[in-house]
Amino acid sequence: MDEARRTLKAADGSTISYSVFDGEGPAVVILHGLAGSSLEFVPTAHALAPRKVILVDQRGHGFSTRRPSNVTRAAFVKDVASVINIESNGPIDLVGHSMGAHTAMLVAALHPQLVRRLVLLEGNEGGGSEAEHAALGEYFRSWQVPFVSREDARAALGDGALARAWVADLELREDGLYPRFDADVMVRTIREVAVRRWSEWESVAAPTLVIYADGGMFSEEQKSEFVRRGASVTRADLTSGSHDAHLDAFEQWSSALRDFLAVSL
């Protein structure tokens, strides 16, 4: 698959970077989670060949503007809608993980003409406490950056699937390696995601696949309520996967995704 990195300029001056893997339409647009980047989903893009796949670095992440002034949900949604309008002549299949699932859900609710099918991996209507948000910020600020090497980063961050993705995505500067996100921006962003969006979720008309992992972050009660309140929802459960099941349960994830996207509407 041929890959091309492209950018667009948002209304607030932020640059939104995304990668396009050429292929057949309709395109599949994939949105990563908080403190992640499009790099995590390159294997997924290859697994979806021969489909056209677009991987978006959401604002504040990856190669997009690191410290955007606007981190509202509306800004994230507008960025994704702009990418879709630029890169597709018709509705696309929209996929999101965690925070990206929340973004994808809002895009489907607010721009139903753009979304043909929707896939949400480890996502929900929103939520989380201020204490959790503060702890997340403290964790990211605790990283002793710059890291001298990727080996140094691995020793500090661990060898889990998400840690390996963070290490692979570190930005090399003259004085060492840095994460491609800012801790304070992550906290501001997750506070916006915490606002529950039940009315938007209940308004989504696109056929939707909701995927959870048995080692993910949601209780069975949360999963069941979210699925029950959706309009046209199929649920899939992955075994031996974490909240980042696209990384540590990849074969199950990619199989469920391909099967759902292959079904004719």
Side-chain angles (χ1 to χ4, degrees):
M1 298 174 72
D2 292 332
E3 176 187 1
R5 182 160 288 275
R6 300 172 186 170
T7 61
L8 66 83
K9 188 70 71 174
D12 68 341
S14 296
T15 296
I16 306 303
S17 179
Y18 59 96
S19 292
V20 178
F21 295 78
D22 285 339
E24 301 172 1
V28 182
V29 176
I30 304 181
L31 309 177
H32 59 80
L34 186 83
S37 81
S38 60
L39 182 65
E40 295 175 27
F41 285 93
V42 170
T44 300
H46 287 294
L48 291 175
R51 292 285 296 274
K52 177 179 180 178
V53 179
I54 301 167
L55 306 181
V56 181
D57 280 333
Q58 294 175 88
R59 56 177 52 221
H61 298 77
F63 287 94
S64 293
T65 294
R66 191 73 46 87
R67 297 179 181 86
S69 59
N70 188 348
V71 293
T72 62
R73 295 280 71 206
F76 279 77
V77 168
K78 188 171 183 180
D79 294 340
V80 176
S82 296
V83 171
I84 295 170
N85 283 321
I86 290 169
E87 296 294 340
S88 178
N89 293 321
I92 53 86
D93 293 338
L94 185 57
V95 179
H97 166 239
S98 192
M99 178 201 74
H102 195 265
T103 307
M105 177 263 288
L106 293 178
V107 172
L110 300 172
H111 300 280
Q113 76 283 1
L114 297 181
V115 181
R116 198 176 74 123
R117 279 180 288 203
L118 180 65
V119 179
L120 307 179
L121 172 63
E122 283 284 308
N124 73 344
E125 76 287 351
S129 68
E130 182 56 37
E132 291 170 332
H133 305 157
L136 183 69
E138 289 173 6
Y139 169 64
F140 288 140
R141 293 185 200 100
S142 75
W143 292 13
Q144 297 298 307
V145 295
F147 297 112
V148 175
S149 65
R150 295 192 192 275
E151 290 74 19
D152 177 49
R154 277 191 288 272
L157 301 179
D159 194 41
L162 181 58
R164 290 195 297 271
W166 278 331
V167 170
D169 203 30
L170 291 170
E171 177 188 7
L172 178 61
R173 303 181 192 170
E174 289 186 1
D175 59 340
L177 294 160
Y178 289 80
R180 293 189 186 275
F181 57 84
D182 176 82
D184 291 339
V185 172
M186 295 301 97
V187 173
R188 289 167 52 212
T189 298
I190 200 62
R191 283 173 176 156
E192 296 284 337
V193 176
V195 178
R196 298 187 186 276
R197 303 284 188 152
W198 282 119
S199 61
E200 288 90 342
W201 168 232
E202 292 169 348
S203 75
V204 172
T208 301
L209 175 65
V210 174
I211 303 178
Y212 293 113
D214 58 359
M217 67 180 293
F218 301 109
S219 69
E220 182 55 39
E221 181 181 9
Q222 289 173 309
K223 297 174 187 178
S224 296
E225 182 179 18
F226 186 69
V227 171
R228 177 180 61 81
R229 293 176 68 165
S232 180
V233 180
T234 300
R235 174 175 167 177
D237 291 273
L238 310 182
T239 60
S240 302
S242 70
H243 182 63
D244 301 288
H246 61 294
L247 299 174
D248 57 18
F250 177 77
E251 294 302 327
Q252 293 179 69
W253 152 249
S254 57
S255 178
L257 182 60
R258 285 194 305 265
D259 289 349
F260 181 72
L261 297 185
V263 175
S264 299
L265 293 179

